[in-house]
């Protein structure tokens, strides 16, 4: 017998779960179909090294979720299902090769003092940045939280125009396009300040010389000051379980091991999906697909028009990622600034130019000579994730090529592909650099697990070609143009079929933004009802 739900959701990433939970709360029957054997996509908490060590295999830090619209609406439902967030006064810092460090802290005063310590006067520059940012924060965050090609997008633009005027709106637009290098060097004198903030643009899929990276850097720096670096007690799996619980308790289902093969249509409307084992699951009101454009228009919709199919096939993927997970016998003992041991996320880099160079090398197919190393320390907030007295590190490298043409340091043999030997050799190089600052690292390693770009792609079909952010984020594939210019937004070529996930606006991250926007669109009363209610009829 064919099963029928109000909404069928392909894939179980954060955007699927956010959309599913928001719809379920309003009485929709939701079916989530996931091809992997776990729910959550890039959220996966597992003991992948040793028993008792709970690793965030992929994503780890939840400021985007906690600061996002879905969380604002679902927080009570999730808390009722056991989800609890932990936070810190030491969210992030950068450690430079000479052992000096700089930190981004939790208040304007603390950050002004820290920046003044680096270079007198930079504290005032930070305060000026905040004074300029906050009055228009709703616009800055609004760009990332609004369906731009819609009435809501037009209303956001109208609000900006009314408030800022023509010239002010142009200035605001110009600020959005600025590079991180441009903003950082014109704002702060200290190169340490540049190196403190520049690595954060990597987490948005950009490099510091990319258009709009200055806007992203500012939004992130303010968001970290205001929101810290929250993580769920017990790991991201708790968020997945709580969101799944909302869907389940409203009568919905979430199934793993279900690869959707085709989205079924009738007269231009989505009617359901077929899984690879031949089951048809019908959708009364909507199908949401959390996939890349290539999969959507190249696999799931076999009858797509040629123009759209070709445009989707041209969708570009960005730089690759590597993750290194350590189970340690004892906590890492950092040399230098004593705050390093308590900081959730430390970047190791020579600074702005160092990030720029590593990005450029990766873009040209090279293993960077001096990559930006992200050292994540989840135990600083949640000691329950490792045995008492032990250590655990989450390492991320976001400047890697998919086809490895060579090594910028001229040390490692490369064949083009990500072999196991290359993966381990590159991780050894990274480990040696970290060890210079954590002298007890190598002696305390109990187990190390490395995931290369090839391993990431094998783990999640959306991390195509090892890109953790499901599509390059240069301006022609970002904001107004994501996923791609001919099909920006979340509507598709098929009525009742919606495209969500990191490949769509507002891009990657745990905010659940695309799922929330689509759920809002689906829950909005029909136009006629809205007009009647406005007219008081
Ligand atoms: C290593 C790594 C670290 C990251 N760290 C952070 C972080 O700390 N903080 C942060 O905010 N962001 C982080 N990100 C980014 C963020 O995690 C992702 O952008 C986000 O989780 C993606 O969510 P999504 O909804 O797009 O779907 P995904 O998480 O990509 O999930 C999509 C799911 O759909 C499934 N699927 C695809 N096709 C089909 C099909 N045909 N049938 C059935 N199922 C299908 C896939 O198997 C997958 O499980 C990180 C990403 C990676 C990869």
């Amino acid at each position: 017998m064919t099963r029928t739900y109000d909404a069928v959701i392909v894939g179980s990433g954060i955007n699927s779960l956010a959309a599913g939970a928001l719809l379920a709360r309003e009485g929709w029957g939701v079916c989530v179909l996931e091809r992997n054997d776990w729910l959550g996509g890039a959220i996966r908490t597992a003991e992948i090294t040793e028993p008792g060590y709970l690793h965030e295999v992929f994503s780890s830090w939840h400021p985007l979720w906690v600061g996002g619209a879905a969380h604002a609406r679902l927080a009570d439902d999730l808390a009722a299902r056991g989800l609890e967030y932990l936070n810190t006064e030491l969210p992030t810092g950068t450690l430079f090769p000479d052992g000096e460090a700089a930190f981004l802290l939790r208040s304007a005063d603390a950050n002004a003092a820290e920046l003044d310590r680096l270079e007198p006067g930079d504290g005032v520059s930070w305060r000026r940045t905040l004074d300029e940012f906050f009055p228009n924060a709703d616009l800055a965050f609004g760009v990332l939280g609004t369906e731009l090609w819609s009435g809501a997008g037009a209303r956001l633009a109208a609000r900006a125009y009314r408030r800022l005027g023509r010239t002010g709106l142009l200035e605001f637009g110009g600020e959005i396009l600025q590079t991180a290098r441009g903003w950082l060097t014109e704002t702060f004198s200290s190169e340490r300040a540049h190196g403190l903030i520049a690595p954060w643009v990597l987490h948005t899929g950009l490099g510091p010389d990319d258009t709009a990276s200055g806007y992203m850097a500012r939004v992130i720096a303010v968001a970290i000051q205001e929101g810290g670096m929250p993580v769920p007690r017990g790991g991201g799996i708790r968020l997945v379980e709580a969101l799944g619980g909302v869907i389940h308790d409203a009568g919905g289902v979430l199934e793993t091991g279900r690869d959707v093969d085709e989205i079924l249509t009738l007269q231009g409307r989505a009617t359901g999906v077929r899984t690879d084992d031949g089951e048809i699951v019908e959708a009364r009101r909507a199908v949401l697909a959390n996939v890349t454009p290539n999969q959507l228009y190249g696999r799931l919709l076999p009858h797509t028009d040629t123009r759209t199919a070709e445009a989707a096939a041209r969708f570009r993927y960005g730089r690759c990622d590597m993750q290194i997970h350590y189970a340690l016998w004892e906590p890492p003992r950092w040399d230098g600034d004593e705050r390093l041991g308590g900081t959730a996320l430390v970047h190791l880099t020579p600074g702005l130019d160092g990030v720029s160079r590593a990005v450029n090398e990766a873009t040209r197919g090279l293993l960077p000579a001096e990559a930006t190393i992200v050292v994540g320390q989840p135990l600083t907030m949640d000691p329950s994730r490792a045995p008492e007295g032990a250590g655990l590190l989450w390492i991320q490298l976001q400047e890697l090529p998919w086809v490895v043409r060579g090594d910028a340091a001229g040390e490692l043999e490369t064949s083009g592909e990500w072999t196991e030997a290359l993966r381990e050799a590159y991780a050894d190089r990274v480990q040696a650099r970290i060890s210079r600052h954590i002298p007890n690292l190598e002696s305390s390693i109990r187990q190390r697990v490395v995931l290369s770009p090839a391993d990431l792609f094998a783990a999640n079909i959306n991390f195509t070609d090892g890109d953790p952010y499901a599509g390059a984020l240069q301006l022609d594939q970002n904001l107004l143009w994501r996923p791609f210019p001919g099909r920006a937004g979340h509507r598709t070529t098929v009525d009742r079929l919606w495209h969500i996930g990191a490949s769509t606006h507002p891009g990657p991250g745990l905010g659940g933004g695309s799922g929330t926007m689509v759920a809002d669109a689906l829950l909005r009363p029909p136009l006629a009802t809205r007009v009647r209610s406005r007219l008081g009829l």
Side-chain angles (χ1 to χ4, degrees), residues 93-334:
T94 292
L95 176 58
F96 300 95
D98 64 0
E100 277 295 317
F103 298 85
L104 195 57
L105 304 161
R106 292 297 309 282
S107 71
D109 287 346
N111 281 325
E114 175 70 1
L115 288 160
D116 270 338
R117 180 182 73 82
L118 303 173
E119 182 82 46
D122 277 356
V124 174
S125 302
W126 177 247
R127 287 188 195 283
R128 197 179 313 121
T129 298
L130 295 177
D131 288 345
E132 287 167 6
F133 185 88
F134 280 127
N136 296 317
D138 59 326
L139 302 179
F141 287 110
V143 171
L144 297 174
T146 305
E147 181 73 89
L148 296 172
W149 290 110
S150 73
R155 282 192 293 281
L156 182 72
R159 184 169 5 132
Y161 181 75
R162 276 195 306 275
R163 189 184 305 163
L164 306 171
R166 185 163 170 272
T167 310
L169 186 58
L170 271 176
E171 278 174 16
F172 183 72
E175 277 169 21
I176 287 186
L177 298 181
Q178 200 176 19
T179 65
R181 180 182 294 280
W183 171 57
L184 289 168
T185 53
E186 79 181 28
T187 305
F188 303 108
S189 307
S190 159
E191 289 196 9
R192 307 272 194 209
H194 306 162
L196 171 61
I197 297 176
W200 273 100
V201 304
L202 300 175
H203 299 266
T204 70
L206 295 174
D209 299 296
D210 279 325
T211 305
S213 58
Y215 158 70
M216 292 295 182
R218 243 183 328 236
V219 167
I220 290 184
V222 175
I224 291 175
Q225 173 182 291
E226 299 301 307
M229 198 57 61
V231 296
R233 188 190 293 281
I237 192 169
R238 301 284 166 241
L239 172 60
V240 173
E241 287 168 352
L243 286 166
V246 175
I247 296 171
H248 189 259
D249 295 349
V253 295
L254 302 106
E255 298 172 6
T256 55
R258 308 302 311 280
D259 190 10
V260 172
D261 227 4
E262 187 174 343
I263 292 166
L264 304 173
T265 62
L266 184 67
Q267 295 169 347
R269 259 186 186 182
T271 56
V273 304
R274 182 170 42 230
T275 55
D276 66 345
D277 56 8
E279 190 193 353
I280 288 176
V281 183
E282 286 181 347
R284 264 187 296 268
R285 300 160 88 172
V287 174
L288 282 64
N290 189 337
V291 299
T292 59
N294 306 62
Q295 201 196 160
L296 183 59
Y297 296 109
R299 176 194 183 204
L300 300 181
L301 289 171
H303 307 298
T304 300
D305 64 278
T306 314
R307 193 159 178 263
T308 307
E310 284 177 1
R314 283 197 300 273
F315 184 71
R316 295 189 318 280
Y317 291 90
R319 290 185 309 277
C320 302
D321 182 68
M322 174 182 277
Q323 297 290 131
I324 309 177
H325 296 285
Y326 287 107
L328 304 177
W329 289 108
E330 59 176 0
R333 287 197 294 273
W334 294 81

Side-chain angles (χ1 to χ4, degrees), residues 51-53 326-333 379-380 382-393 440-441 443-446:
Y53 291 84
Y326 287 107
L328 304 177
W329 289 108
E330 59 176 0
R333 287 197 294 273
L379 301 189
T380 56
D382 186 1
S384 77
R385 296 190 196 176
E388 202 165 331
L392 178 151
L393 292 176
N440 73 332
L441 176 66
S443 63
S444 65
I445 296 173
R446 191 169 168 191

Side-chain angles (χ1 to χ4, degrees), residues 10-16 33-36 40-42 58-61 64 258-260 290-291 295 299-300 321 323 394 396 456 460-463 468-469 501-502 508-510:
V10 183
S12 66
I14 186 66
N15 288 288
S16 313
L33 298 173
E34 167 57 55
R35 70 198 292 272
N36 279 336
F58 310 112
S59 59
S60 179
W61 317 99
L64 291 177
R258 308 302 311 280
D259 190 10
V260 172
N290 189 337
V291 299
Q295 201 196 160
R299 176 194 183 204
L300 300 181
D321 182 68
Q323 297 290 131
W394 176 99
Q396 184 177 44
L456 289 178
N460 184 339
I461 193 174
N462 289 14
F463 306 159
Y469 300 140
L510 293 174

Side-chain angles (χ1 to χ4, degrees), residues 367-369 406-414 425-426 429 436:
L367 300 169
D407 176 12
E411 293 167 354
L412 303 179
E413 290 271 320
T414 61
Y426 189 71
R429 176 150 108 203
R436 272 180 236 143

